[in-house]
Amino acid sequence: MRKIGIILLTILLNLNLSFSQTESEIDSLLNGISETENSKGITKTEQAKKIIEFGENSLTTLAEFFTDSTLTKVKSECQERNLTKGEIAIIMADRIEGMPYFTVTGIQNCLITFCENNPNLIEYYLWAIKRDGTEKFKEKYLAWLESDDRIEWTPLLDYKSKKERKKEIRKRKREKRKAE
């Protein structure tokens, strides 16, 4: 009986540590990305690749960092300034699953002049996010993550195969039906 208790306690502790490590691991990876010199190279770093591998399960954790105003070494030619850690988290979240820019920023993308050769599309909208407040953006983004619209959303650039995307949509629809 005592062995079973010890085993259950060990499993419980491991589960708690694994869930709490996710936020600290993402924090550590974002700190690593913060050493990149140019924003165009963010997604090419090993740390960014690891965050991208976490997939959509990491989106809410990344959103927790959106309001982090810690200045980094990452220079944005597009914004003509250094990015904050929160802005890097926004770029990473957009890379994992493309955001509906109008929904989360209120800016129609056809109105913006895009920066040349920059793979981080959300970077063009950082001025609007900063203007309206990152807390408000975070709220809109988290609401969108939970919305029904997200199920059918097709991002401007989708880094997943069509098969992966369809599988993901079916999964979300099943989860929505279970929740009802």
Side-chain angles (χ1 to χ4, degrees):
M1 186 69 166
R2 186 173 181 193
K3 286 183 182 180
I4 293 172
I6 292 173
I7 291 171
L8 289 175
L9 181 62
T10 305
I11 290 171
L12 183 64
L13 288 174
N14 284 337
L15 285 174
N16 286 338
L17 290 175
S18 67
F19 288 121
S20 65
Q21 278 181 325
T22 306
E23 189 169 332
S24 64
E25 189 171 5
I26 287 178
D27 184 36
S28 174
L29 293 169
L30 287 172
N31 287 336
I33 295 169
S34 298
E35 299 299 315
T36 308
E37 290 185 21
N38 190 313
S39 66
K40 292 178 184 179
I42 287 174
T43 56
K44 295 176 185 167
T45 65
E46 287 303 313
Q47 295 91 342
K49 290 175 184 174
K50 285 182 181 179
I51 291 174
I52 292 168
E53 284 177 17
F54 291 152
E56 73 175 76
N57 295 332
S58 65
L59 293 176
T60 53
T61 305
L62 275 169
E64 293 304 315
F65 291 97
F66 288 179
T67 56
D68 189 330
S69 59
T70 306
L71 215 53
T72 69
K73 293 180 181 180
V74 181
K75 177 76 173 168
S76 169
E77 294 170 10
C78 197
Q79 299 294 315
E80 296 179 348
R81 62 178 174 79
N82 286 22
L83 299 178
T84 65
K85 187 174 179 179
E87 290 169 330
I88 292 171
I90 291 169
I91 291 169
M92 293 309 305
D94 185 54
R95 182 52 69 120
I96 291 169
E97 184 176 310
M99 296 178 191
Y101 302 129
F102 180 73
T103 303
V104 294
T105 67
I107 305 293
Q108 190 70 18
N109 65 356
C110 61
L111 302 176
I112 292 185
T113 305
F114 293 103
C115 300
E116 285 187 41
N117 303 320
N118 192 324
N120 310 319
L121 296 182
I122 191 70
E123 193 173 332
Y124 311 121
Y125 299 90
L126 292 178
W127 64 272
I129 294 168
K130 190 173 185 176
R131 178 196 68 198
D132 297 340
T134 53
E135 188 64 47
K136 186 175 179 183
F137 172 78
K138 177 182 166 182
E139 288 172 16
K140 285 182 179 180
Y141 180 73
L142 289 172
W144 173 74
L145 281 180
E146 297 299 320
S147 75
D148 292 345
D149 294 339
R150 182 174 173 231
I151 293 171
E152 298 296 331
W153 168 247
T154 305
L156 182 61
L157 284 178
D158 195 353
Y159 300 99
K160 298 175 184 172
S161 71
K162 211 172 195 178
K163 184 178 178 181
E164 288 175 306
R165 186 81 183 136
K166 284 182 178 181
K167 184 179 176 182
E168 190 175 298
I169 289 169
R170 283 192 302 272
K171 178 184 165 198
R172 287 184 192 162
K173 284 182 179 178
R174 277 192 306 273
E175 288 173 356
K176 181 171 172 20
R177 276 185 251 139
K178 283 181 184 178
E180 292 176 344

Short mmCIF file of all heavy atoms in Angstrom, two decimals, residues 57-122:
data_model
loop_
_atom_site.label_atom_id
_atom_site.label_comp_id
_atom_site.label_asym_id
_atom_site.label_seq_id
_atom_site.Cartn_x
_atom_site.Cartn_y
_atom_site.Cartn_z
N ASN A 57 -1.02 24.09 -28.68
CA ASN A 57 -1.17 23.95 -27.23
C ASN A 57 -0.42 25.05 -26.48
O ASN A 57 -0.71 25.32 -25.32
CB ASN A 57 -0.69 22.59 -26.76
CG ASN A 57 -1.55 21.47 -27.31
OD1 ASN A 57 -2.73 21.67 -27.60
ND2 ASN A 57 -0.97 20.31 -27.48
N SER A 58 0.56 25.66 -27.13
CA SER A 58 1.35 26.70 -26.46
C SER A 58 0.81 28.11 -26.68
O SER A 58 1.34 29.06 -26.13
CB SER A 58 2.80 26.62 -26.93
OG SER A 58 2.88 26.94 -28.30
N LEU A 59 -0.25 28.25 -27.46
CA LEU A 59 -0.74 29.59 -27.80
C LEU A 59 -1.21 30.39 -26.59
O LEU A 59 -0.90 31.57 -26.47
CB LEU A 59 -1.84 29.51 -28.86
CG LEU A 59 -1.37 29.02 -30.24
CD1 LEU A 59 -2.56 28.87 -31.19
CD2 LEU A 59 -0.32 29.95 -30.83
N THR A 60 -1.95 29.76 -25.68
CA THR A 60 -2.41 30.51 -24.49
C THR A 60 -1.25 30.86 -23.58
O THR A 60 -1.25 31.93 -22.97
CB THR A 60 -3.49 29.73 -23.71
OG1 THR A 60 -3.00 28.42 -23.43
CG2 THR A 60 -4.79 29.64 -24.47
N THR A 61 -0.25 29.99 -23.52
CA THR A 61 0.94 30.29 -22.70
C THR A 61 1.71 31.45 -23.33
O THR A 61 2.15 32.36 -22.63
CB THR A 61 1.85 29.05 -22.58
OG1 THR A 61 1.08 27.97 -22.06
CG2 THR A 61 3.02 29.32 -21.66
N LEU A 62 1.87 31.42 -24.65
CA LEU A 62 2.54 32.54 -25.33
C LEU A 62 1.79 33.85 -25.09
O LEU A 62 2.40 34.89 -24.90
CB LEU A 62 2.64 32.27 -26.83
CG LEU A 62 3.82 31.45 -27.30
CD1 LEU A 62 3.65 31.03 -28.75
CD2 LEU A 62 5.13 32.20 -27.11
N ALA A 63 0.46 33.79 -25.10
CA ALA A 63 -0.35 34.99 -24.89
C ALA A 63 -0.06 35.64 -23.54
O ALA A 63 -0.17 36.87 -23.40
CB ALA A 63 -1.83 34.67 -25.03
N GLU A 64 0.32 34.84 -22.56
CA GLU A 64 0.66 35.39 -21.25
C GLU A 64 1.88 36.32 -21.32
O GLU A 64 2.06 37.18 -20.46
CB GLU A 64 0.91 34.27 -20.24
CG GLU A 64 -0.33 33.47 -19.91
CD GLU A 64 -1.48 34.32 -19.39
OE1 GLU A 64 -1.24 35.20 -18.53
OE2 GLU A 64 -2.61 34.12 -19.87
N PHE A 65 2.69 36.16 -22.34
CA PHE A 65 3.89 36.98 -22.48
C PHE A 65 3.66 38.23 -23.34
O PHE A 65 4.53 39.08 -23.43
CB PHE A 65 5.03 36.16 -23.09
CG PHE A 65 5.57 35.11 -22.17
CD1 PHE A 65 5.11 33.80 -22.27
CD2 PHE A 65 6.50 35.42 -21.20
CE1 PHE A 65 5.59 32.82 -21.41
CE2 PHE A 65 6.98 34.44 -20.34
CZ PHE A 65 6.52 33.14 -20.45
N PHE A 66 2.49 38.34 -23.98
CA PHE A 66 2.22 39.47 -24.88
C PHE A 66 2.42 40.83 -24.21
O PHE A 66 2.82 41.78 -24.85
CB PHE A 66 0.78 39.41 -25.42
CG PHE A 66 0.53 38.33 -26.45
CD1 PHE A 66 -0.74 38.19 -26.98
CD2 PHE A 66 1.52 37.47 -26.88
CE1 PHE A 66 -1.02 37.21 -27.94
CE2 PHE A 66 1.25 36.48 -27.82
CZ PHE A 66 -0.02 36.36 -28.35
N THR A 67 2.15 40.92 -22.94
CA THR A 67 2.24 42.20 -22.24
C THR A 67 3.62 42.47 -21.64
O THR A 67 3.82 43.51 -21.01
CB THR A 67 1.18 42.28 -21.12
OG1 THR A 67 1.34 41.16 -20.26
CG2 THR A 67 -0.23 42.27 -21.71
N ASP A 68 4.57 41.57 -21.86
CA ASP A 68 5.92 41.74 -21.32
C ASP A 68 6.64 42.84 -22.10
O ASP A 68 6.92 42.70 -23.29
CB ASP A 68 6.70 40.41 -21.42
CG ASP A 68 8.03 40.45 -20.68
OD1 ASP A 68 8.64 41.54 -20.58
OD2 ASP A 68 8.48 39.39 -20.22
N SER A 69 6.94 43.93 -21.45
CA SER A 69 7.54 45.09 -22.12
C SER A 69 9.06 45.14 -22.01
O SER A 69 9.68 46.17 -22.28
CB SER A 69 6.94 46.38 -21.57
OG SER A 69 7.18 46.46 -20.18
N THR A 70 9.67 44.01 -21.64
CA THR A 70 11.13 43.94 -21.54
C THR A 70 11.74 44.16 -22.93
O THR A 70 11.42 43.45 -23.88
CB THR A 70 11.58 42.57 -21.01
OG1 THR A 70 10.91 42.31 -19.79
CG2 THR A 70 13.08 42.52 -20.82
N LEU A 71 12.60 45.16 -23.05
CA LEU A 71 13.25 45.46 -24.33
C LEU A 71 14.30 44.40 -24.65
O LEU A 71 15.00 43.92 -23.77
CB LEU A 71 13.91 46.83 -24.25
CG LEU A 71 13.90 47.67 -25.52
CD1 LEU A 71 12.49 47.81 -26.08
CD2 LEU A 71 14.49 49.03 -25.27
N THR A 72 14.39 44.01 -25.92
CA THR A 72 15.34 42.98 -26.35
C THR A 72 16.36 43.57 -27.31
O THR A 72 16.28 44.74 -27.68
CB THR A 72 14.59 41.83 -27.07
OG1 THR A 72 14.09 42.31 -28.31
CG2 THR A 72 13.47 41.27 -26.22
N LYS A 73 17.29 42.73 -27.76
CA LYS A 73 18.30 43.14 -28.73
C LYS A 73 17.77 43.05 -30.17
O LYS A 73 18.44 43.45 -31.10
CB LYS A 73 19.53 42.25 -28.60
CG LYS A 73 20.28 42.42 -27.32
CD LYS A 73 21.49 41.50 -27.29
CE LYS A 73 22.24 41.64 -25.98
NZ LYS A 73 23.41 40.75 -25.94
N VAL A 74 16.57 42.52 -30.33
CA VAL A 74 16.01 42.28 -31.66
C VAL A 74 15.58 43.60 -32.30
O VAL A 74 14.66 44.26 -31.82
CB VAL A 74 14.81 41.30 -31.60
CG1 VAL A 74 14.27 41.05 -32.99
CG2 VAL A 74 15.21 40.00 -30.93
N LYS A 75 16.25 43.94 -33.37
CA LYS A 75 15.95 45.18 -34.10
C LYS A 75 14.94 44.88 -35.19
O LYS A 75 15.09 43.94 -35.96
CB LYS A 75 17.24 45.74 -34.71
CG LYS A 75 17.06 46.97 -35.56
CD LYS A 75 16.84 48.20 -34.73
CE LYS A 75 16.85 49.42 -35.65
NZ LYS A 75 16.39 50.60 -35.02
N SER A 76 13.89 45.68 -35.25
CA SER A 76 12.89 45.56 -36.31
C SER A 76 13.10 46.70 -37.30
O SER A 76 12.93 47.87 -36.95
CB SER A 76 11.48 45.64 -35.73
OG SER A 76 10.53 45.78 -36.76
N GLU A 77 13.47 46.34 -38.51
CA GLU A 77 13.60 47.35 -39.56
C GLU A 77 12.23 47.94 -39.89
O GLU A 77 12.11 49.10 -40.23
CB GLU A 77 14.22 46.74 -40.82
CG GLU A 77 15.65 46.28 -40.63
CD GLU A 77 16.17 45.47 -41.80
OE1 GLU A 77 15.51 45.40 -42.85
OE2 GLU A 77 17.27 44.89 -41.66
N CYS A 78 11.23 47.10 -39.76
CA CYS A 78 9.85 47.48 -40.06
C CYS A 78 9.35 48.55 -39.09
O CYS A 78 8.71 49.51 -39.50
CB CYS A 78 8.99 46.23 -39.97
SG CYS A 78 7.40 46.36 -40.73
N GLN A 79 9.65 48.39 -37.83
CA GLN A 79 9.20 49.31 -36.79
C GLN A 79 10.25 50.38 -36.46
O GLN A 79 9.98 51.31 -35.71
CB GLN A 79 8.85 48.54 -35.51
CG GLN A 79 7.76 47.52 -35.68
CD GLN A 79 6.43 48.16 -35.99
OE1 GLN A 79 6.03 49.13 -35.36
NE2 GLN A 79 5.73 47.61 -36.97
N GLU A 80 11.45 50.19 -36.98
CA GLU A 80 12.60 51.09 -36.74
C GLU A 80 12.88 51.26 -35.25
O GLU A 80 13.10 52.36 -34.74
CB GLU A 80 12.36 52.45 -37.41
CG GLU A 80 12.27 52.34 -38.91
CD GLU A 80 12.01 53.67 -39.59
OE1 GLU A 80 11.68 54.66 -38.90
OE2 GLU A 80 12.15 53.71 -40.82
N ARG A 81 12.85 50.13 -34.55
CA ARG A 81 13.14 50.12 -33.11
C ARG A 81 13.39 48.68 -32.68
O ARG A 81 13.17 47.75 -33.43
CB ARG A 81 11.99 50.72 -32.31
CG ARG A 81 10.69 49.93 -32.46
CD ARG A 81 9.57 50.53 -31.60
NE ARG A 81 8.31 49.87 -31.83
CZ ARG A 81 7.94 48.70 -31.31
NH1 ARG A 81 8.77 48.04 -30.52
NH2 ARG A 81 6.76 48.18 -31.58
N ASN A 82 13.83 48.52 -31.43
CA ASN A 82 14.00 47.19 -30.86
C ASN A 82 12.64 46.68 -30.38
O ASN A 82 11.83 47.46 -29.90
CB ASN A 82 15.00 47.20 -29.71
CG ASN A 82 16.42 47.34 -30.20
OD1 ASN A 82 16.67 47.81 -31.29
ND2 ASN A 82 17.36 46.92 -29.40
N LEU A 83 12.43 45.38 -30.51
CA LEU A 83 11.18 44.77 -30.10
C LEU A 83 11.20 44.41 -28.62
O LEU A 83 12.27 44.23 -28.03
CB LEU A 83 10.92 43.50 -30.91
CG LEU A 83 10.78 43.66 -32.42
CD1 LEU A 83 10.57 42.30 -33.08
CD2 LEU A 83 9.65 44.61 -32.77
N THR A 84 10.03 44.29 -28.04
CA THR A 84 9.91 43.83 -26.66
C THR A 84 9.76 42.30 -26.67
O THR A 84 9.46 41.70 -27.71
CB THR A 84 8.68 44.44 -25.95
OG1 THR A 84 7.50 43.96 -26.59
CG2 THR A 84 8.74 45.96 -25.97
N LYS A 85 9.93 41.71 -25.52
CA LYS A 85 9.75 40.27 -25.38
C LYS A 85 8.31 39.88 -25.72
O LYS A 85 8.05 38.85 -26.34
CB LYS A 85 10.09 39.85 -23.94
CG LYS A 85 10.11 38.37 -23.71
CD LYS A 85 10.60 38.10 -22.29
CE LYS A 85 10.63 36.66 -21.96
NZ LYS A 85 11.12 36.43 -20.59
N GLY A 86 7.36 40.73 -25.35
CA GLY A 86 5.96 40.48 -25.66
C GLY A 86 5.70 40.47 -27.16
O GLY A 86 4.93 39.65 -27.67
N GLU A 87 6.34 41.37 -27.88
CA GLU A 87 6.18 41.42 -29.33
C GLU A 87 6.77 40.18 -30.00
O GLU A 87 6.22 39.67 -30.98
CB GLU A 87 6.80 42.70 -29.88
CG GLU A 87 6.02 43.94 -29.48
CD GLU A 87 6.74 45.24 -29.76
OE1 GLU A 87 7.99 45.27 -29.73
OE2 GLU A 87 6.04 46.24 -29.99
N ILE A 88 7.85 39.67 -29.44
CA ILE A 88 8.43 38.42 -29.96
C ILE A 88 7.44 37.27 -29.72
O ILE A 88 7.25 36.43 -30.60
CB ILE A 88 9.80 38.14 -29.31
CG1 ILE A 88 10.82 39.19 -29.79
CG2 ILE A 88 10.29 36.73 -29.65
CD1 ILE A 88 12.14 39.15 -29.06
N ALA A 89 6.79 37.26 -28.56
CA ALA A 89 5.79 36.23 -28.27
C ALA A 89 4.62 36.32 -29.26
O ALA A 89 4.10 35.30 -29.72
CB ALA A 89 5.29 36.37 -26.83
N ILE A 90 4.23 37.54 -29.61
CA ILE A 90 3.15 37.74 -30.59
C ILE A 90 3.57 37.18 -31.94
O ILE A 90 2.79 36.48 -32.60
CB ILE A 90 2.78 39.25 -30.69
CG1 ILE A 90 2.11 39.72 -29.40
CG2 ILE A 90 1.89 39.50 -31.91
CD1 ILE A 90 1.94 41.23 -29.29
N ILE A 91 4.79 37.45 -32.36
CA ILE A 91 5.30 36.95 -33.64
C ILE A 91 5.31 35.42 -33.63
O ILE A 91 4.91 34.77 -34.60
CB ILE A 91 6.70 37.52 -33.94
CG1 ILE A 91 6.60 39.02 -34.24
CG2 ILE A 91 7.37 36.77 -35.10
CD1 ILE A 91 7.93 39.75 -34.30
N MET A 92 5.74 34.83 -32.52
CA MET A 92 5.79 33.37 -32.43
C MET A 92 4.39 32.77 -32.47
O MET A 92 4.16 31.76 -33.13
CB MET A 92 6.53 32.93 -31.16
CG MET A 92 8.01 33.26 -31.16
SD MET A 92 8.90 32.71 -32.63
CE MET A 92 8.50 30.99 -32.68
N ALA A 93 3.44 33.38 -31.78
CA ALA A 93 2.06 32.88 -31.80
C ALA A 93 1.49 32.95 -33.22
O ALA A 93 0.82 32.01 -33.67
CB ALA A 93 1.19 33.68 -30.84
N ASP A 94 1.80 34.02 -33.92
CA ASP A 94 1.32 34.16 -35.30
C ASP A 94 1.96 33.13 -36.22
O ASP A 94 1.34 32.65 -37.16
CB ASP A 94 1.60 35.58 -35.82
CG ASP A 94 1.02 35.82 -37.20
OD1 ASP A 94 -0.20 35.59 -37.37
OD2 ASP A 94 1.77 36.25 -38.09
N ARG A 95 3.19 32.76 -35.92
CA ARG A 95 3.87 31.76 -36.74
C ARG A 95 3.29 30.37 -36.51
O ARG A 95 3.19 29.57 -37.42
CB ARG A 95 5.38 31.77 -36.44
CG ARG A 95 6.20 30.81 -37.25
CD ARG A 95 5.95 30.93 -38.75
NE ARG A 95 6.44 32.16 -39.29
CZ ARG A 95 7.35 32.26 -40.23
NH1 ARG A 95 7.87 31.18 -40.75
NH2 ARG A 95 7.73 33.43 -40.67
N ILE A 96 2.87 30.08 -35.28
CA ILE A 96 2.28 28.78 -34.98
C ILE A 96 0.92 28.67 -35.66
O ILE A 96 0.61 27.66 -36.27
CB ILE A 96 2.14 28.57 -33.45
CG1 ILE A 96 3.54 28.40 -32.85
CG2 ILE A 96 1.27 27.35 -33.13
CD1 ILE A 96 3.57 28.43 -31.33
N GLU A 97 0.12 29.68 -35.51
CA GLU A 97 -1.20 29.70 -36.16
C GLU A 97 -1.49 31.14 -36.56
O GLU A 97 -1.66 32.00 -35.69
CB GLU A 97 -2.27 29.18 -35.22
CG GLU A 97 -3.62 29.08 -35.87
CD GLU A 97 -4.67 28.47 -34.97
OE1 GLU A 97 -4.39 27.39 -34.39
OE2 GLU A 97 -5.74 29.06 -34.82
N GLY A 98 -1.54 31.38 -37.86
CA GLY A 98 -1.78 32.72 -38.36
C GLY A 98 -3.00 33.37 -37.74
O GLY A 98 -4.04 32.74 -37.59
N MET A 99 -2.87 34.63 -37.37
CA MET A 99 -3.95 35.36 -36.71
C MET A 99 -4.85 36.05 -37.74
O MET A 99 -4.37 36.44 -38.80
CB MET A 99 -3.37 36.44 -35.79
CG MET A 99 -2.55 35.91 -34.66
SD MET A 99 -1.88 37.31 -33.71
CE MET A 99 -0.71 36.45 -32.68
N PRO A 100 -6.11 36.25 -37.39
CA PRO A 100 -6.98 37.08 -38.23
C PRO A 100 -6.69 38.54 -37.88
O PRO A 100 -7.21 39.07 -36.89
CB PRO A 100 -8.39 36.65 -37.81
CG PRO A 100 -8.23 36.22 -36.40
CD PRO A 100 -6.84 35.65 -36.28
N TYR A 101 -5.83 39.18 -38.63
CA TYR A 101 -5.30 40.49 -38.26
C TYR A 101 -6.37 41.54 -38.00
O TYR A 101 -6.28 42.30 -37.04
CB TYR A 101 -4.30 40.99 -39.31
CG TYR A 101 -3.16 40.02 -39.51
CD1 TYR A 101 -2.80 39.59 -40.78
CD2 TYR A 101 -2.44 39.53 -38.42
CE1 TYR A 101 -1.76 38.69 -40.96
CE2 TYR A 101 -1.40 38.64 -38.59
CZ TYR A 101 -1.06 38.22 -39.86
OH TYR A 101 -0.04 37.34 -40.03
N PHE A 102 -7.40 41.58 -38.82
CA PHE A 102 -8.45 42.58 -38.60
C PHE A 102 -9.16 42.33 -37.27
O PHE A 102 -9.43 43.25 -36.52
CB PHE A 102 -9.46 42.59 -39.75
CG PHE A 102 -10.55 43.60 -39.54
CD1 PHE A 102 -10.29 44.96 -39.69
CD2 PHE A 102 -11.81 43.21 -39.15
CE1 PHE A 102 -11.28 45.90 -39.45
CE2 PHE A 102 -12.81 44.14 -38.91
CZ PHE A 102 -12.55 45.49 -39.07
N THR A 103 -9.45 41.08 -36.98
CA THR A 103 -10.17 40.73 -35.75
C THR A 103 -9.38 41.12 -34.50
O THR A 103 -9.94 41.67 -33.56
CB THR A 103 -10.48 39.22 -35.71
OG1 THR A 103 -11.22 38.88 -36.87
CG2 THR A 103 -11.24 38.83 -34.47
N VAL A 104 -8.09 40.86 -34.50
CA VAL A 104 -7.30 41.10 -33.28
C VAL A 104 -6.66 42.49 -33.22
O VAL A 104 -6.31 42.95 -32.14
CB VAL A 104 -6.23 40.00 -33.06
CG1 VAL A 104 -6.87 38.67 -32.79
CG2 VAL A 104 -5.25 39.91 -34.21
N THR A 105 -6.52 43.17 -34.38
CA THR A 105 -5.91 44.50 -34.35
C THR A 105 -6.86 45.61 -34.76
O THR A 105 -6.62 46.77 -34.44
CB THR A 105 -4.68 44.58 -35.30
OG1 THR A 105 -5.13 44.46 -36.65
CG2 THR A 105 -3.64 43.55 -34.96
N GLY A 106 -7.93 45.26 -35.49
CA GLY A 106 -8.85 46.28 -35.98
C GLY A 106 -8.36 46.99 -37.22
O GLY A 106 -8.96 47.94 -37.69
N ILE A 107 -7.23 46.53 -37.76
CA ILE A 107 -6.65 47.14 -38.95
C ILE A 107 -6.82 46.20 -40.13
O ILE A 107 -6.41 45.04 -40.06
CB ILE A 107 -5.14 47.44 -38.75
CG1 ILE A 107 -4.91 48.31 -37.51
CG2 ILE A 107 -4.52 48.06 -39.99
CD1 ILE A 107 -5.46 49.71 -37.59
N GLN A 108 -7.38 46.70 -41.23
CA GLN A 108 -7.54 45.90 -42.45
C GLN A 108 -6.19 45.81 -43.14
O GLN A 108 -5.53 46.82 -43.37
CB GLN A 108 -8.57 46.57 -43.36
CG GLN A 108 -9.01 45.73 -44.52
CD GLN A 108 -9.87 44.54 -44.07
OE1 GLN A 108 -10.40 44.52 -42.98
NE2 GLN A 108 -9.98 43.56 -44.93
N ASN A 109 -5.75 44.59 -43.48
CA ASN A 109 -4.39 44.42 -44.01
C ASN A 109 -4.16 45.06 -45.37
O ASN A 109 -3.04 45.31 -45.75
CB ASN A 109 -3.99 42.94 -44.04
CG ASN A 109 -4.82 42.12 -44.99
OD1 ASN A 109 -5.76 42.60 -45.59
ND2 ASN A 109 -4.47 40.85 -45.12
N CYS A 110 -5.19 45.35 -46.12
CA CYS A 110 -4.97 45.98 -47.42
C CYS A 110 -4.57 47.45 -47.28
O CYS A 110 -4.15 48.08 -48.24
CB CYS A 110 -6.21 45.84 -48.30
SG CYS A 110 -7.66 46.66 -47.60
N LEU A 111 -4.66 48.00 -46.09
CA LEU A 111 -4.34 49.40 -45.86
C LEU A 111 -2.88 49.62 -45.46
O LEU A 111 -2.43 50.75 -45.39
CB LEU A 111 -5.24 49.97 -44.76
CG LEU A 111 -6.74 49.89 -45.02
CD1 LEU A 111 -7.50 50.40 -43.81
CD2 LEU A 111 -7.11 50.67 -46.26
N ILE A 112 -2.16 48.55 -45.20
CA ILE A 112 -0.81 48.67 -44.65
C ILE A 112 0.24 48.44 -45.73
O ILE A 112 0.11 47.57 -46.58
CB ILE A 112 -0.61 47.66 -43.50
CG1 ILE A 112 -1.48 48.10 -42.33
CG2 ILE A 112 0.84 47.55 -43.09
CD1 ILE A 112 -1.30 47.27 -41.10
N THR A 113 1.30 49.23 -45.66
CA THR A 113 2.45 49.02 -46.53
C THR A 113 3.35 48.01 -45.84
O THR A 113 3.83 48.26 -44.73
CB THR A 113 3.23 50.34 -46.74
OG1 THR A 113 2.32 51.31 -47.23
CG2 THR A 113 4.37 50.15 -47.71
N PHE A 114 3.57 46.87 -46.47
CA PHE A 114 4.35 45.82 -45.84
C PHE A 114 5.84 46.06 -46.02
O PHE A 114 6.29 46.67 -46.99
CB PHE A 114 3.98 44.46 -46.45
CG PHE A 114 2.58 44.04 -46.11
CD1 PHE A 114 1.56 44.15 -47.03
CD2 PHE A 114 2.29 43.54 -44.85
CE1 PHE A 114 0.28 43.77 -46.72
CE2 PHE A 114 1.00 43.16 -44.52
CZ PHE A 114 -0.01 43.28 -45.45
N CYS A 115 6.62 45.57 -45.06
CA CYS A 115 8.07 45.66 -45.14
C CYS A 115 8.59 44.55 -46.05
O CYS A 115 8.07 43.44 -46.02
CB CYS A 115 8.68 45.49 -43.75
SG CYS A 115 8.15 46.75 -42.60
N GLU A 116 9.60 44.86 -46.81
CA GLU A 116 10.15 43.89 -47.76
C GLU A 116 10.89 42.77 -47.07
O GLU A 116 11.60 43.00 -46.10
CB GLU A 116 11.10 44.60 -48.74
CG GLU A 116 10.38 45.41 -49.79
CD GLU A 116 11.34 45.94 -50.83
OE1 GLU A 116 12.26 45.20 -51.25
OE2 GLU A 116 11.18 47.10 -51.22
N ASN A 117 10.73 41.56 -47.60
CA ASN A 117 11.46 40.37 -47.17
C ASN A 117 11.34 40.06 -45.68
O ASN A 117 12.26 39.49 -45.10
CB ASN A 117 12.94 40.49 -47.55
CG ASN A 117 13.12 40.71 -49.03
OD1 ASN A 117 12.42 40.12 -49.85
ND2 ASN A 117 14.04 41.59 -49.39
N ASN A 118 10.24 40.44 -45.06
CA ASN A 118 10.06 40.13 -43.65
C ASN A 118 9.00 39.04 -43.52
O ASN A 118 7.85 39.26 -43.88
CB ASN A 118 9.64 41.37 -42.86
CG ASN A 118 9.73 41.15 -41.37
OD1 ASN A 118 9.45 40.08 -40.87
ND2 ASN A 118 10.12 42.19 -40.65
N PRO A 119 9.37 37.87 -43.00
CA PRO A 119 8.42 36.76 -42.91
C PRO A 119 7.42 36.89 -41.76
O PRO A 119 6.47 36.12 -41.69
CB PRO A 119 9.33 35.55 -42.68
CG PRO A 119 10.50 36.11 -41.96
CD PRO A 119 10.70 37.50 -42.53
N ASN A 120 7.61 37.85 -40.88
CA ASN A 120 6.75 38.01 -39.70
C ASN A 120 5.62 38.99 -40.01
O ASN A 120 5.71 40.17 -39.71
CB ASN A 120 7.56 38.52 -38.51
CG ASN A 120 8.81 37.70 -38.29
OD1 ASN A 120 8.79 36.48 -38.40
ND2 ASN A 120 9.90 38.37 -37.98
N LEU A 121 4.54 38.49 -40.60
CA LEU A 121 3.47 39.38 -41.05
C LEU A 121 2.86 40.21 -39.93
O LEU A 121 2.53 41.38 -40.12
CB LEU A 121 2.37 38.58 -41.76
CG LEU A 121 2.80 37.90 -43.06
CD1 LEU A 121 1.62 37.18 -43.69
CD2 LEU A 121 3.41 38.89 -44.04
N ILE A 122 2.71 39.64 -38.76
CA ILE A 122 2.11 40.38 -37.64
C ILE A 122 2.99 41.57 -37.23
O ILE A 122 2.50 42.54 -36.66
CB ILE A 122 1.82 39.46 -36.43
CG1 ILE A 122 0.95 40.15 -35.36
CG2 ILE A 122 3.11 38.97 -35.79
CD1 ILE A 122 -0.46 40.39 -35.76
#
